[in-house]
Amino acid sequence: EGNLSADARYYAICGQNYNYSTQEVKMSDILVYDLILDSVISTLDLPDSLVSFDWVSISPSGNYIVIDYANEDTGRFNGIEVYDRNLNFIWQKPVGAGHSDIGTDGSGQDFLVMDKYDANLDSTFIMKYRLSDGQEAVLLGISSLFDQHISCRNQMRKDWCFISTFDYTGRLTDDSLSWMSFEDEI
């Protein structure tokens, strides 16, 4: 998973080691690669104790690296972490795994848009997180019974993200599509 920067210059990659004896895959490090210079510009070694990992991506501006460790734990190498292009740590939130995408608003700010389940309310919320500082806001609340996909890669309408929600088979509800503005709440 992951995207190139909008100018197709930068890409974030997770290195893996495969143990042929145990058949285990271990995430080893994060690399930020400059495709124009054909070189690695920064590296982050992942800890040997890393338990879960889902994806890494770079923001459309190429200024931020986002890593989803797919858990709700606090502390480094957990939840969602954001780094600058040189892999200097910026912030972390214990949000767990979810559907997400990274986009840019009309003023050029990069955002992560991600679903987050709230067990106390038994609801799912589509959240946005400003990558520069972690400020967050709710874009949409939906039933916990729905699943969804999020797309922010619309270069002509940067202020918006596209959310498709759908119900599981066997239930009698309609699917829906939503356009959500990044400008709400932050």
Side-chain angles (χ1 to χ4, degrees):
E1 295 183 36
N3 295 299
L4 292 167
S5 57
D7 63 3
R9 179 172 186 167
Y10 301 107
Y11 190 66
I13 304 163
C14 181
Q16 299 178 359
N17 292 319
Y18 181 74
N19 184 323
Y20 288 95
S21 300
T22 64
Q23 298 181 342
E24 294 177 325
V25 175
K26 181 163 180 49
M27 303 308 179
S28 61
D29 47 22
I30 303 294
L31 305 173
V32 179
Y33 195 78
D34 186 323
L35 295 164
I36 292 174
L37 296 178
D38 193 23
S39 65
V40 174
I41 61 172
S42 54
T43 303
L44 173 69
D45 293 328
L46 296 175
D48 290 336
S49 61
L50 188 65
V51 174
S52 61
F53 182 91
D54 192 12
W55 55 263
V56 60
S57 189
I58 196 161
S59 67
S61 70
N63 292 331
Y64 301 99
I65 309 302
V66 181
I67 303 171
D68 184 355
Y69 292 102
N71 64 40
E72 296 179 8
D73 297 337
T74 58
R76 293 298 308 278
F77 303 105
N78 288 293
I80 291 285
E81 288 190 340
V82 176
Y83 298 80
D84 68 15
R85 185 185 318 141
N86 294 314
L87 291 169
N88 295 306
F89 178 77
I90 299 174
W91 58 266
Q92 184 271 353
K93 290 188 184 275
V95 297
H99 293 283
S100 61
D101 200 6
I102 303 171
T104 306
D105 71 5
S107 66
Q109 294 276 332
D110 289 323
F111 283 88
L112 169 67
V113 177
M114 184 173 184
D115 70 339
K116 181 178 179 183
Y117 176 69
D118 185 323
N120 293 326
L121 299 174
D122 191 28
S123 291
T124 299
F125 295 93
I126 307 300
M127 304 291 296
K128 72 175 182 176
Y129 303 91
R130 188 168 44 211
L131 296 185
S132 63
D133 60 10
Q135 285 287 335
E136 62 184 73
V138 175
L139 290 178
L140 177 68
I142 59 175
S143 167
S144 62
L145 298 175
F146 289 133
D147 206 350
Q148 68 281 322
H149 289 283
I150 300 168
S151 177
C152 300
R153 295 295 168 145
N154 42 40
Q155 297 302 311
M156 300 305 291
R157 299 190 73 181
K158 293 184 179 189
D159 290 350
W160 296 83
C161 62
F162 188 70
I163 301 167
S164 61
T165 59
F166 54 95
D167 206 353
Y168 296 99
T169 57
R171 292 177 39 89
L172 300 174
T173 61
D174 293 330
D175 296 344
S176 68
L177 302 173
S178 303
W179 282 100
M180 299 302 302
S181 173
F182 278 138
E183 301 304 318
D184 297 336
E185 301 297 322
I186 289 183

